Amino acid sequence: MGLFLFLQWLLFFPAHLTNALNPSIPNDALSLLTFKPFVSFDPLNLLSEWSEKASENLCSWHGVMCGGTGILSGRVTALNVIGLGGGELAPSVGDLSELRVLSIPGNMFSGEIPTGLGKFRRLKVLELQGNNISGRVSNEMGYLQSLSFVNLSCNALSGSIPSELYAFTLGHE
């Protein structure tokens, strides 16, 4: 268990150290830059513009949409990426606190759904279909109170859908 925690720390520490040394990198850009190494194959170079140098322009990155005014200005509100060739869904995606849409279908992602996705209190659309995501759907996903559309089909998920998630999705039809 200790080795696992140490390895997780090694994965995330460099990104957070980068932000500490260069606070001009927006937190949402940092979350996306931490997501990028979890993509094992990008055959169309969709994420090529995702870089620390271009972090001020993260709202123009492929698949990234930001809010326009007020509190959402410059904040990532949607992540829509199709065409990646494998990898895992990085836990750092859970740090995109203003996310309304997470649509990453058909990217051949494997591994489990990060429990951090349960932090998306404003998430309305969750599309993870057509990947190879495995494991159980966490009960934490039941905290997604704004959710109106979920598609987890064509994955390798096991177990049942948490009743909390089922209740929210039925309540928003």
Side-chain angles (χ1 to χ4, degrees), residues 1-166:
M1 180 79 155
L3 178 61
F4 177 72
L5 291 174
F6 177 72
L7 291 174
Q8 278 188 319
W9 179 80
L10 282 178
L11 281 173
F12 298 111
F13 180 74
H16 294 292
L17 178 61
T18 300
N19 201 32
L21 296 176
N22 186 356
S24 66
I25 299 174
N27 286 335
D28 286 356
L30 181 63
S31 295
L32 294 172
L33 291 171
T34 305
F35 167 83
K36 186 178 176 181
F38 280 79
V39 174
S40 59
F41 187 51
D42 182 5
L44 303 173
N45 290 318
L46 300 174
L47 308 183
S48 61
E49 59 197 14
W50 290 25
S51 72
E52 195 173 313
K53 286 182 181 179
S55 63
E56 295 124 22
N57 301 320
L58 78 126
C59 298
S60 65
W61 292 356
H62 178 83
V64 176
M65 293 180 64
C66 297
T69 59
I71 195 167
L72 295 178
S73 179
R75 299 296 310 273
V76 175
T77 57
L79 182 59
N80 302 292
V81 182
I82 299 171
L84 301 174
E88 292 185 29
L89 186 54
S92 64
V93 171
D95 295 333
L96 297 169
S97 60
E98 297 298 335
L99 205 63
R100 301 319 196 248
V101 175
L102 177 59
S103 180
I104 50 173
N107 287 305
M108 299 183 349
F109 286 141
S110 59
E112 297 184 0
I113 298 172
T115 56
L117 295 190
K119 296 189 286 187
F120 290 141
R121 301 292 185 255
R122 295 175 187 91
L123 191 69
K124 295 179 181 190
V125 175
L126 177 62
E127 294 182 300
L128 302 178
Q129 73 271 17
N131 285 290
N132 193 26
I133 297 171
S134 59
R136 301 175 91 56
V137 178
S138 167
N139 286 339
E140 190 174 297
M141 298 291 282
Y143 298 126
L144 302 175
Q145 300 171 359
S146 298
L147 210 53
S148 59
F149 182 81
V150 180
N151 191 343
L152 302 175
S153 65
C154 300
N155 280 294
L157 295 168
S158 60
S160 59
I161 296 172
S163 59
E164 298 88 356
L165 181 60
Y166 186 66

